[in-house]
mmCIF file of all heavy atoms in Angstrom:
data_model
loop_
_atom_site.group_PDB
_atom_site.id
_atom_site.type_symbol
_atom_site.label_atom_id
_atom_site.label_comp_id
_atom_site.label_asym_id
_atom_site.label_seq_id
_atom_site.Cartn_x
_atom_site.Cartn_y
_atom_site.Cartn_z
ATOM 1 N N MET A 1 15.422 -64.795 -15.961
ATOM 2 C CA MET A 1 15.408 -63.493 -15.256
ATOM 3 C C MET A 1 13.973 -63.096 -14.924
ATOM 4 O O MET A 1 13.102 -63.149 -15.833
ATOM 5 C CB MET A 1 16.047 -62.429 -16.118
ATOM 6 C CG MET A 1 16.279 -61.098 -15.447
ATOM 7 S SD MET A 1 17.599 -61.191 -14.215
ATOM 8 C CE MET A 1 17.615 -59.500 -13.602
ATOM 9 N N SER A 2 13.700 -62.759 -13.686
ATOM 10 C CA SER A 2 12.376 -62.395 -13.266
ATOM 11 C C SER A 2 12.025 -60.966 -13.686
ATOM 12 O O SER A 2 12.888 -60.124 -13.827
ATOM 13 C CB SER A 2 12.220 -62.509 -11.748
ATOM 14 O OG SER A 2 12.570 -63.804 -11.340
ATOM 15 N N SER A 3 10.684 -60.704 -13.864
ATOM 16 C CA SER A 3 10.200 -59.348 -14.106
ATOM 17 C C SER A 3 9.308 -58.931 -12.936
ATOM 18 O O SER A 3 8.539 -59.764 -12.433
ATOM 19 C CB SER A 3 9.353 -59.331 -15.408
ATOM 20 O OG SER A 3 10.114 -59.737 -16.493
ATOM 21 N N VAL A 4 9.451 -57.675 -12.539
ATOM 22 C CA VAL A 4 8.672 -57.154 -11.386
ATOM 23 C C VAL A 4 7.833 -55.982 -11.881
ATOM 24 O O VAL A 4 8.363 -55.109 -12.571
ATOM 25 C CB VAL A 4 9.574 -56.684 -10.227
ATOM 26 C CG1 VAL A 4 8.735 -56.166 -9.052
ATOM 27 C CG2 VAL A 4 10.503 -57.787 -9.771
ATOM 28 N N PHE A 5 6.530 -56.021 -11.553
ATOM 29 C CA PHE A 5 5.632 -54.951 -11.984
ATOM 30 C C PHE A 5 4.898 -54.351 -10.769
ATOM 31 O O PHE A 5 4.415 -55.092 -9.932
ATOM 32 C CB PHE A 5 4.601 -55.511 -12.994
ATOM 33 C CG PHE A 5 5.195 -56.068 -14.233
ATOM 34 C CD1 PHE A 5 5.562 -57.405 -14.312
ATOM 35 C CD2 PHE A 5 5.393 -55.266 -15.349
ATOM 36 C CE1 PHE A 5 6.110 -57.957 -15.444
ATOM 37 C CE2 PHE A 5 5.947 -55.784 -16.504
ATOM 38 C CZ PHE A 5 6.307 -57.118 -16.561
ATOM 39 N N CYS A 7 1.925 -52.918 -9.379
ATOM 40 C CA CYS A 7 0.492 -52.927 -9.758
ATOM 41 C C CYS A 7 -0.211 -51.703 -9.273
ATOM 42 O O CYS A 7 -1.397 -51.484 -9.585
ATOM 43 C CB CYS A 7 -0.172 -54.186 -9.275
ATOM 44 S SG CYS A 7 0.466 -55.675 -10.030
ATOM 45 N N ALA A 11 -0.235 -48.393 -15.707
ATOM 46 C CA ALA A 11 0.440 -48.878 -16.885
ATOM 47 C C ALA A 11 1.230 -50.166 -16.576
ATOM 48 O O ALA A 11 1.165 -51.135 -17.358
ATOM 49 C CB ALA A 11 1.393 -47.815 -17.441
ATOM 50 N N GLN A 12 1.912 -50.198 -15.458
ATOM 51 C CA GLN A 12 2.623 -51.399 -15.034
ATOM 52 C C GLN A 12 1.662 -52.531 -14.737
ATOM 53 O O GLN A 12 1.962 -53.708 -14.988
ATOM 54 C CB GLN A 12 3.515 -51.121 -13.827
ATOM 55 C CG GLN A 12 4.740 -50.281 -14.158
ATOM 56 C CD GLN A 12 5.817 -50.414 -13.079
ATOM 57 O OE1 GLN A 12 6.165 -51.490 -12.601
ATOM 58 N NE2 GLN A 12 6.276 -49.268 -12.602
ATOM 59 N N LEU A 13 0.505 -52.197 -14.158
ATOM 60 C CA LEU A 13 -0.492 -53.240 -13.855
ATOM 61 C C LEU A 13 -0.930 -53.984 -15.117
ATOM 62 O O LEU A 13 -0.960 -55.185 -15.163
ATOM 63 C CB LEU A 13 -1.699 -52.588 -13.163
ATOM 64 C CG LEU A 13 -2.940 -53.517 -12.974
ATOM 65 C CD1 LEU A 13 -2.591 -54.703 -12.094
ATOM 66 C CD2 LEU A 13 -4.096 -52.732 -12.380
ATOM 67 N N LEU A 14 -1.246 -53.212 -16.160
ATOM 68 C CA LEU A 14 -1.662 -53.806 -17.435
ATOM 69 C C LEU A 14 -0.590 -54.709 -18.011
ATOM 70 O O LEU A 14 -0.843 -55.812 -18.457
ATOM 71 C CB LEU A 14 -2.078 -52.712 -18.433
ATOM 72 C CG LEU A 14 -3.344 -51.939 -18.068
ATOM 73 C CD1 LEU A 14 -3.540 -50.769 -19.020
ATOM 74 C CD2 LEU A 14 -4.585 -52.868 -18.127
ATOM 75 N N ALA A 15 0.643 -54.190 -18.010
ATOM 76 C CA ALA A 15 1.758 -54.995 -18.516
ATOM 77 C C ALA A 15 2.011 -56.205 -17.678
ATOM 78 O O ALA A 15 2.259 -57.306 -18.187
ATOM 79 C CB ALA A 15 3.014 -54.118 -18.606
ATOM 80 N N GLY A 16 1.924 -56.058 -16.342
ATOM 81 C CA GLY A 16 2.178 -57.127 -15.421
ATOM 82 C C GLY A 16 1.152 -58.217 -15.570
ATOM 83 O O GLY A 16 1.476 -59.415 -15.552
ATOM 84 N N MET A 17 -0.123 -57.842 -15.699
ATOM 85 C CA MET A 17 -1.143 -58.834 -15.887
ATOM 86 C C MET A 17 -0.973 -59.622 -17.188
ATOM 87 O O MET A 17 -1.137 -60.859 -17.227
ATOM 88 C CB MET A 17 -2.535 -58.178 -15.881
ATOM 89 C CG MET A 17 -2.880 -57.517 -14.566
ATOM 90 S SD MET A 17 -3.214 -58.674 -13.266
ATOM 91 C CE MET A 17 -4.964 -58.899 -13.430
ATOM 92 N N ARG A 18 -0.542 -58.938 -18.227
ATOM 93 C CA ARG A 18 -0.307 -59.618 -19.503
ATOM 94 C C ARG A 18 0.848 -60.625 -19.390
ATOM 95 O O ARG A 18 0.708 -61.780 -19.824
ATOM 96 C CB ARG A 18 -0.016 -58.598 -20.613
ATOM 97 C CG ARG A 18 0.148 -59.240 -21.980
ATOM 98 C CD ARG A 18 0.363 -58.189 -23.073
ATOM 99 N NE ARG A 18 1.697 -57.575 -22.966
ATOM 100 C CZ ARG A 18 1.926 -56.310 -22.564
ATOM 101 N NH1 ARG A 18 0.900 -55.542 -22.194
ATOM 102 N NH2 ARG A 18 3.143 -55.818 -22.541
ATOM 103 N N HIS A 19 1.932 -60.176 -18.779
ATOM 104 C CA HIS A 19 3.077 -61.058 -18.557
ATOM 105 C C HIS A 19 2.702 -62.232 -17.651
ATOM 106 O O HIS A 19 3.195 -63.368 -17.865
ATOM 107 C CB HIS A 19 4.277 -60.269 -18.040
ATOM 108 C CG HIS A 19 5.052 -59.499 -19.065
ATOM 109 N ND1 HIS A 19 4.590 -58.269 -19.529
ATOM 110 C CD2 HIS A 19 6.155 -59.776 -19.727
ATOM 111 C CE1 HIS A 19 5.445 -57.824 -20.452
ATOM 112 N NE2 HIS A 19 6.429 -58.731 -20.570
ATOM 113 N N ALA A 20 1.904 -61.959 -16.628
ATOM 114 C CA ALA A 20 1.544 -63.022 -15.696
ATOM 115 C C ALA A 20 0.702 -64.074 -16.382
ATOM 116 O O ALA A 20 0.932 -65.314 -16.233
ATOM 117 C CB ALA A 20 0.760 -62.429 -14.511
ATOM 118 N N ARG A 21 -0.254 -63.612 -17.221
ATOM 119 C CA ARG A 21 -1.083 -64.578 -17.957
ATOM 120 C C ARG A 21 -0.214 -65.460 -18.874
ATOM 121 O O ARG A 21 -0.435 -66.656 -18.990
ATOM 122 C CB ARG A 21 -2.161 -63.860 -18.816
ATOM 123 C CG ARG A 21 -3.240 -63.189 -17.985
ATOM 124 C CD ARG A 21 -4.390 -62.805 -18.894
ATOM 125 N NE ARG A 21 -4.038 -61.955 -20.032
ATOM 126 C CZ ARG A 21 -3.962 -60.620 -19.973
ATOM 127 N NH1 ARG A 21 -4.236 -59.973 -18.855
ATOM 128 N NH2 ARG A 21 -3.638 -59.923 -21.057
ATOM 129 N N GLN A 22 0.736 -64.822 -19.569
ATOM 130 C CA GLN A 22 1.583 -65.534 -20.491
ATOM 131 C C GLN A 22 2.448 -66.573 -19.701
ATOM 132 O O GLN A 22 2.675 -67.674 -20.194
ATOM 133 C CB GLN A 22 2.465 -64.536 -21.251
ATOM 134 C CG GLN A 22 1.652 -63.682 -22.218
ATOM 135 C CD GLN A 22 2.469 -62.530 -22.778
ATOM 136 O OE1 GLN A 22 3.550 -62.218 -22.297
ATOM 137 N NE2 GLN A 22 1.925 -61.907 -23.833
ATOM 138 N N ALA A 23 2.942 -66.154 -18.551
ATOM 139 C CA ALA A 23 3.826 -67.024 -17.760
ATOM 140 C C ALA A 23 3.014 -68.261 -17.294
ATOM 141 O O ALA A 23 3.473 -69.414 -17.360
ATOM 142 C CB ALA A 23 4.390 -66.306 -16.553
ATOM 143 N N ILE A 24 1.786 -68.012 -16.792
ATOM 144 C CA ILE A 24 0.907 -69.118 -16.366
ATOM 145 C C ILE A 24 0.690 -70.090 -17.547
ATOM 146 O O ILE A 24 0.714 -71.331 -17.367
ATOM 147 C CB ILE A 24 -0.418 -68.568 -15.826
ATOM 148 C CG1 ILE A 24 -0.188 -67.826 -14.490
ATOM 149 C CG2 ILE A 24 -1.430 -69.705 -15.648
ATOM 150 C CD1 ILE A 24 0.229 -68.692 -13.340
ATOM 151 N N ALA A 25 0.386 -69.521 -18.689
ATOM 152 C CA ALA A 25 0.123 -70.354 -19.882
ATOM 153 C C ALA A 25 1.341 -71.204 -20.292
ATOM 154 O O ALA A 25 1.180 -72.302 -20.854
ATOM 155 C CB ALA A 25 -0.310 -69.487 -21.058
ATOM 156 N N ARG A 26 2.554 -70.687 -19.983
ATOM 157 C CA ARG A 26 3.770 -71.434 -20.290
ATOM 158 C C ARG A 26 4.102 -72.468 -19.202
ATOM 159 O O ARG A 26 5.110 -73.137 -19.311
ATOM 160 C CB ARG A 26 4.938 -70.462 -20.475
ATOM 161 C CG ARG A 26 4.857 -69.639 -21.755
ATOM 162 C CD ARG A 26 6.204 -68.929 -21.990
ATOM 163 N NE ARG A 26 6.599 -68.063 -20.897
ATOM 164 C CZ ARG A 26 6.386 -66.721 -20.839
ATOM 165 N NH1 ARG A 26 5.708 -66.155 -21.833
ATOM 166 N NH2 ARG A 26 6.759 -66.035 -19.850
ATOM 167 N N GLY A 27 3.334 -72.520 -18.128
ATOM 168 C CA GLY A 27 3.615 -73.460 -17.052
ATOM 169 C C GLY A 27 4.624 -72.914 -16.061
ATOM 170 O O GLY A 27 5.223 -73.669 -15.287
ATOM 171 N N GLU A 28 4.849 -71.574 -16.091
ATOM 172 C CA GLU A 28 5.771 -70.958 -15.153
ATOM 173 C C GLU A 28 5.078 -70.457 -13.904
ATOM 174 O O GLU A 28 3.885 -70.479 -13.797
ATOM 175 C CB GLU A 28 6.528 -69.819 -15.889
ATOM 176 C CG GLU A 28 7.348 -70.312 -17.077
ATOM 177 C CD GLU A 28 7.838 -69.198 -17.971
ATOM 178 O OE1 GLU A 28 7.568 -68.013 -17.674
ATOM 179 O OE2 GLU A 28 8.526 -69.521 -18.965
ATOM 180 N N LEU A 29 5.910 -69.930 -12.952
ATOM 181 C CA LEU A 29 5.378 -69.451 -11.671
ATOM 182 C C LEU A 29 5.267 -67.925 -11.677
ATOM 183 O O LEU A 29 6.076 -67.248 -12.290
ATOM 184 C CB LEU A 29 6.276 -69.874 -10.539
ATOM 185 C CG LEU A 29 6.541 -71.393 -10.353
ATOM 186 C CD1 LEU A 29 7.367 -71.634 -9.119
ATOM 187 C CD2 LEU A 29 5.256 -72.163 -10.299
ATOM 188 N N ILE A 30 4.302 -67.428 -10.944
ATOM 189 C CA ILE A 30 4.180 -65.993 -10.729
ATOM 190 C C ILE A 30 3.967 -65.761 -9.232
ATOM 191 O O ILE A 30 3.536 -66.668 -8.534
ATOM 192 C CB ILE A 30 3.015 -65.326 -11.515
ATOM 193 C CG1 ILE A 30 1.676 -65.808 -10.989
ATOM 194 C CG2 ILE A 30 3.166 -65.587 -12.998
ATOM 195 C CD1 ILE A 30 0.528 -64.893 -11.288
ATOM 196 N N VAL A 31 4.252 -64.579 -8.776
ATOM 197 C CA VAL A 31 3.916 -64.154 -7.412
ATOM 198 C C VAL A 31 2.892 -63.031 -7.509
ATOM 199 O O VAL A 31 3.040 -62.127 -8.330
ATOM 200 C CB VAL A 31 5.142 -63.741 -6.624
ATOM 201 C CG1 VAL A 31 4.787 -62.839 -5.407
ATOM 202 C CG2 VAL A 31 5.918 -64.953 -6.108
ATOM 203 N N ALA A 41 2.004 -68.726 -7.543
ATOM 204 C CA ALA A 41 0.900 -69.326 -8.251
ATOM 205 C C ALA A 41 1.359 -70.082 -9.494
ATOM 206 O O ALA A 41 2.349 -69.687 -10.111
ATOM 207 C CB ALA A 41 -0.141 -68.286 -8.634
ATOM 208 N N LEU A 132 -6.906 -61.512 -12.220
ATOM 209 C CA LEU A 132 -6.048 -62.511 -12.824
ATOM 210 C C LEU A 132 -6.761 -63.881 -12.884
ATOM 211 O O LEU A 132 -6.744 -64.557 -13.907
ATOM 212 C CB LEU A 132 -4.737 -62.651 -12.060
ATOM 213 C CG LEU A 132 -3.659 -63.558 -12.682
ATOM 214 C CD1 LEU A 132 -3.238 -63.035 -14.046
ATOM 215 C CD2 LEU A 132 -2.432 -63.685 -11.750
ATOM 216 N N GLU A 135 -9.172 -64.372 -15.611
ATOM 217 C CA GLU A 135 -8.576 -64.579 -16.943
ATOM 218 C C GLU A 135 -7.939 -65.918 -17.079
ATOM 219 O O GLU A 135 -7.896 -66.530 -18.164
ATOM 220 C CB GLU A 135 -7.582 -63.469 -17.226
ATOM 221 C CG GLU A 135 -8.278 -62.083 -17.331
ATOM 222 C CD GLU A 135 -7.288 -60.931 -17.421
ATOM 223 O OE1 GLU A 135 -6.083 -61.152 -17.213
ATOM 224 O OE2 GLU A 135 -7.736 -59.800 -17.673
ATOM 225 N N THR A 136 -7.305 -66.425 -15.986
ATOM 226 C CA THR A 136 -6.532 -67.678 -16.082
ATOM 227 C C THR A 136 -7.370 -68.903 -15.709
ATOM 228 O O THR A 136 -7.015 -70.034 -16.067
ATOM 229 C CB THR A 136 -5.317 -67.625 -15.128
ATOM 230 O OG1 THR A 136 -5.756 -67.510 -13.794
ATOM 231 C CG2 THR A 136 -4.390 -66.453 -15.499
ATOM 232 N N VAL A 166 10.686 -67.842 -9.980
ATOM 233 C CA VAL A 166 9.411 -67.159 -10.345
ATOM 234 C C VAL A 166 9.669 -66.238 -11.557
ATOM 235 O O VAL A 166 10.644 -65.509 -11.527
ATOM 236 C CB VAL A 166 8.857 -66.359 -9.150
ATOM 237 C CG1 VAL A 166 7.672 -65.509 -9.565
ATOM 238 C CG2 VAL A 166 8.465 -67.308 -8.039
ATOM 239 N N SER A 167 8.793 -66.324 -12.539
ATOM 240 C CA SER A 167 8.991 -65.512 -13.753
ATOM 241 C C SER A 167 8.532 -64.083 -13.595
ATOM 242 O O SER A 167 9.142 -63.133 -14.085
ATOM 243 C CB SER A 167 8.265 -66.164 -14.937
ATOM 244 O OG SER A 167 8.796 -67.416 -15.223
ATOM 245 N N VAL A 168 7.373 -63.902 -12.918
ATOM 246 C CA VAL A 168 6.699 -62.548 -12.847
ATOM 247 C C VAL A 168 6.303 -62.327 -11.398
ATOM 248 O O VAL A 168 5.666 -63.141 -10.769
ATOM 249 C CB VAL A 168 5.479 -62.492 -13.754
ATOM 250 C CG1 VAL A 168 4.794 -61.143 -13.559
ATOM 251 C CG2 VAL A 168 5.878 -62.695 -15.211
ATOM 252 N N TYR A 169 6.708 -61.138 -10.902
ATOM 253 C CA TYR A 169 6.294 -60.677 -9.571
ATOM 254 C C TYR A 169 5.325 -59.496 -9.758
ATOM 255 O O TYR A 169 5.706 -58.505 -10.344
ATOM 256 C CB TYR A 169 7.455 -60.205 -8.717
ATOM 257 C CG TYR A 169 8.379 -61.344 -8.278
ATOM 258 C CD1 TYR A 169 9.409 -61.860 -9.059
ATOM 259 C CD2 TYR A 169 8.184 -61.924 -7.012
ATOM 260 C CE1 TYR A 169 10.209 -62.901 -8.627
ATOM 261 C CE2 TYR A 169 8.987 -62.946 -6.563
ATOM 262 C CZ TYR A 169 9.997 -63.448 -7.378
ATOM 263 O OH TYR A 169 10.788 -64.460 -6.922
ATOM 264 N N LEU A 170 4.119 -59.654 -9.246
ATOM 265 C CA LEU A 170 3.113 -58.562 -9.239
ATOM 266 C C LEU A 170 3.174 -57.876 -7.872
ATOM 267 O O LEU A 170 2.803 -58.515 -6.872
ATOM 268 C CB LEU A 170 1.745 -59.052 -9.553
ATOM 269 C CG LEU A 170 1.580 -59.735 -10.939
ATOM 270 C CD1 LEU A 170 0.132 -60.261 -11.084
ATOM 271 C CD2 LEU A 170 1.888 -58.788 -12.076
#
Side-chain angles (χ1 to χ4, degrees):
M1 188 72 180
S2 304
S3 302
V4 182
F5 299 89
C7 295
Q12 287 197 50
L13 171 62
L14 291 172
M17 295 290 267
R18 185 177 70 253
H19 280 80
R21 290 194 305 272
Q22 292 169 347
I24 291 293
R26 291 193 299 266
E28 297 169 1
L29 304 183
I30 68 158
V31 159
L132 187 62
E135 295 171 351
T136 63
V166 171
S167 297
V168 175
Y169 289 85
L170 300 177

